Amino acid sequence: DAGVTQSPTHLIKTRGQQVTLRCSPKSGHDTVSWYQQALGQGPQFIFQYYEEEERQRGNFPDRFSGHQFPNYSSELNVNALLLGDSALYLCASSLALGRGYNEQFFGPGTRLTVL
Amino acid sequence: DAKTTQPTSMDCAEGRAANLPCNHSTISGNEYVYWYRQIHSQGPQYIIHGLKNNETNEMASLIITEDRKSSTLILPHATLRDTAVYYCIVRPALGGNTDKLIFGTGTRLQVFP
């Protein structure tokens, strides 16, 4: 049973560029959440996708956008990259509320460095 | 902002019990206490959760005070592989209007030989 997978593992970009990160949820899960973790900090919630729509959003600017596909996989897009966007980006999958115990399973993360 | 307070760091000798405290004095009646841990350079891993009763699984035990304002995560026999950052999180029960996890800075547990 494959867990949550993320790609790429590491990424280096320059300021102003755009980046796309990808996530495949754990088998049987239909909800994907994205988190940003700066060095030395706990993960911060970016947004959550369910049924191909953004259901919740944290305190992140519109430069951060996402998408969920019919197979429940998801992408995180960040435009106009800033140095402060350098972080570990984590994807977590779960079952939708009301359909069972909704423990979140995390992937290994994508390490983004913005130069 | 996180609704929990944890010590920044703790040490524990290998083979001894590690007791990690968490304060959540503003917890609501419908909120659970969750614990996750994050080993260096990996994603967070679920450990255990509880509402008001003590809970135990193969990884750990969770002791919640009667007033639910604090809890303790117990790793009964710590090993070097338990060295990680441990996060205590308060989260609405199933059916609530939010499913996000709000992480604080956690407790960095160092297990030494």
Side-chain angles (χ1 to χ4, degrees):
Chain A
D1 177 22
V4 179
T5 59
Q6 293 185 244
S7 63
T9 305
H10 296 86
L11 202 53
I12 299 175
K13 293 286 189 178
T14 57
R15 282 178 296 177
Q17 285 189 311
Q18 178 266 344
V19 68
T20 297
L21 311 181
R22 296 175 176 81
C23 171
S24 291
K26 181 179 170 64
S27 177
H29 285 181
D30 56 8
T31 302
V32 173
S33 302
W34 287 91
Y35 294 79
Q36 179 196 65
Q37 185 174 24
L39 198 62
Q41 302 296 315
Q44 300 297 305
F45 176 78
I46 303 175
F47 44 53
Q48 183 182 82
Y49 277 83
Y50 170 67
E51 290 188 338
E52 303 179 46
E53 291 189 357
E54 182 182 295
R55 185 166 68 169
Q56 295 182 72
R57 189 177 184 92
N59 188 26
F60 280 80
D62 292 343
R63 297 187 298 108
F64 289 77
S65 63
H67 187 77
Q68 186 179 33
F69 299 94
N71 67 353
Y72 307 119
S73 67
S74 176
E75 288 182 349
L76 164 65
N77 301 292
V78 186
N79 295 322
L81 284 167
L82 304 174
L83 295 179
D85 295 331
S86 295
L88 179 67
Y89 288 85
L90 295 160
C91 169
S93 73
S94 58
L95 280 171
L97 291 172
R99 292 178 57 184
Y101 173 50
N102 62 340
E103 169 193 337
Q104 293 195 12
F105 289 80
F106 283 81
T110 293
R111 173 72 62 186
L112 172 65
T113 301
V114 182
L115 302 176
Chain B
D1 291 339
K3 297 177 66 173
T4 62
T5 304
Q6 299 177 251
T8 303
S9 63
M10 296 182 64
D11 291 337
C12 179
E14 188 176 23
R16 304 297 295 270
N19 297 283
L20 290 87
C22 179
N23 287 319
H24 31 79
S25 58
T26 61
I27 192 170
S28 300
N30 70 339
E31 291 180 320
Y32 282 77
V33 178
Y34 277 73
W35 284 83
Y36 280 75
R37 74 179 182 183
Q38 188 173 24
I39 296 171
H40 183 62
S41 297
Q42 298 182 21
Q45 175 192 23
Y46 165 83
I47 301 173
I48 198 167
H49 77 286
L51 183 63
K52 55 183 178 181
N53 297 320
N54 297 337
E55 301 288 343
T56 297
N57 63 19
E58 64 279 5
M59 290 183 67
S61 295
L62 174 60
I63 308 298
I64 302 174
T65 58
E66 191 169 345
D67 64 7
R68 301 207 327 121
K69 293 185 177 181
S70 66
S71 61
T72 301
L73 178 74
I74 301 172
L75 307 178
H77 304 288
T79 71
L80 298 179
R81 289 176 294 180
D82 292 322
T83 293
V85 177
Y86 287 77
Y87 296 100
C88 170
I89 298 168
V90 167
R91 186 182 178 195
L94 291 176
N97 62 2
T98 177
D99 193 29
K100 63 184 179 183
L101 297 174
I102 301 176
F103 290 82
T105 52
T107 295
R108 182 171 300 277
L109 175 68
Q110 179 69 53
V111 181
F112 57 91

